[in-house]
Amino acid sequence: ILSHHILRPDEIIAYDIDTLKTSSLSTQLGINIAGSNQEIVDRSKIILLAVKPQFLPDVISSVNVTEPRAFLSIMAGIDKQRLESGFGTNNRFLCIMPNLPLQAGEGMTCFSNDYTLTEEELCFTRNIFSSIGKVELLPASQIRIFGAIAGSSPAIVFMMIEAMADAACKAGMARAQAYEIASQAVLGSGKMARDSGIHVAALKDMVCSPAGTTIEGVLQLEKDGFRAAIQQSILSMIDRFDAMAEKSSGTGKKG
């Protein structure tokens, strides 16, 4: 937000129960630090809820929202109805799911289309997340799918990069060099899949020369059930997201 000049440091206020974390933020970035959740609510127009879903009841019980506010939530499994039941229907809400590569400026973020923000608030929020990646507006029912293929999948990609580097290391390459090469190969492949307009199956075929090394490796992956393992992993993540959403669907107090 600061590096893209969306807001000035004096326009941002943060609170965390970890005072060492907020003290560090104040020192490094020059932003304002609040002493409580209530102070955040009192002094802010737009509030980002960035806590683990299991701590939402604690946040709800710690504040009294006397004037309408806009709440942005990045809590997995928490929908707009859950937020309305806790903070009150007189407030405005948007459920957001970002992913870890936001930290590298190549994030993928989902906005639920079941929102009550004003168009100005939505545009402001989109500007924030668009500055560090891509943004998709999806039906609320598809956030669970997005959570698997964008929110959780970086862990799979990191595991693949690690495995590729392990194999290269076993074959005699220095580990640091193997990580850099594998990471760049994955980065470039992702950009081609996103931007080239060529179907990913055709892109794969472009690398697989007849009787070559790549098709040998592809067939080995097929033999080992690579596609099925990835698919089952994604589906299990979606199931877990559903379970988390069901568990967190209790009611809270109204502000």
Side-chain angles (χ1 to χ4, degrees):
I1 293 173
L2 294 175
S3 64
H4 289 88
H5 308 292
I6 296 172
L7 290 173
R8 302 186 308 271
D10 62 288
E11 295 177 306
I12 301 174
I13 183 170
Y15 172 72
D16 194 284
I17 58 174
D18 183 347
T19 56
L20 290 177
K21 182 185 297 183
T22 50
S23 176
S24 176
L25 285 174
S26 178
T27 301
Q28 295 176 15
L29 304 177
I31 65 174
N32 298 291
I33 301 301
S36 66
N37 287 324
Q38 186 63 52
E39 185 179 352
I40 290 287
V41 169
D42 292 340
R43 296 178 59 183
S44 305
K45 295 180 180 179
I46 299 178
I47 299 161
L48 177 63
L49 298 167
V51 300
K52 296 294 185 182
Q54 61 267 31
F55 298 128
L56 176 59
D58 295 334
V59 175
I60 291 172
S61 64
S62 70
V63 299
N64 181 33
V65 188
T66 57
E67 296 184 9
R69 294 286 189 264
F71 287 87
L72 313 176
S73 167
I74 61 171
M75 294 178 287
I78 302 296
D79 59 17
K80 179 172 69 70
Q81 289 69 36
R82 175 71 179 92
L83 295 172
E84 287 178 336
S85 71
F87 293 103
T89 56
N90 59 319
N91 296 290
R92 301 177 299 280
F93 302 97
L94 170 66
C95 293
I96 301 169
M97 181 167 288
N99 70 354
L100 183 63
L102 285 173
Q103 295 186 15
E106 290 290 349
M108 186 68 245
T109 301
C110 169
F111 287 3
S112 168
N113 68 354
D114 183 21
Y115 65 86
T116 50
L117 298 188
T118 66
E119 286 304 308
E120 182 181 3
E121 290 164 345
L122 182 66
C123 182
F124 171 78
T125 306
R126 181 181 285 274
N127 285 342
I128 290 175
F129 287 91
S130 294
S131 72
I132 45 180
K134 302 288 185 180
V135 175
E136 287 284 346
L137 185 68
L138 293 175
S141 62
Q142 293 185 11
I143 290 183
R144 51 201 276 278
I145 305 173
F146 178 92
I149 64 171
S152 299
S153 65
I156 299 175
V157 176
F158 296 146
M159 289 174 67
M160 184 179 73
I161 291 172
E162 183 182 32
M164 292 164 65
D166 283 346
C169 187
K170 178 175 173 57
M173 181 178 286
R175 182 168 292 278
Q177 192 173 24
Y179 275 128
E180 181 175 1
I181 292 170
S183 299
Q184 182 62 32
V186 170
L187 175 63
S189 301
K191 286 190 173 183
M192 287 193 71
R194 183 191 66 188
D195 301 335
S196 69
I198 303 173
H199 193 281
V200 289
L203 289 172
K204 181 263 295 178
D205 290 348
M206 289 167 61
V207 190
C208 295
S209 303
T213 58
T214 305
I215 190 63
E216 185 71 23
V218 167
L219 290 177
Q220 185 62 52
L221 286 174
E222 296 285 14
K223 180 181 177 181
D224 293 338
F226 178 75
R227 291 174 190 253
I230 295 295
Q231 292 163 2
Q232 191 54 51
S233 173
I234 296 297
L235 291 172
S236 69
M237 293 175 190
I238 294 173
D239 289 343
R240 176 58 180 164
F241 189 94
D242 289 342
M244 289 173 60
E246 183 176 350
K247 184 177 180 180
S248 63
S249 61
T251 59
K253 75 159 192 174
K254 289 189 176 181

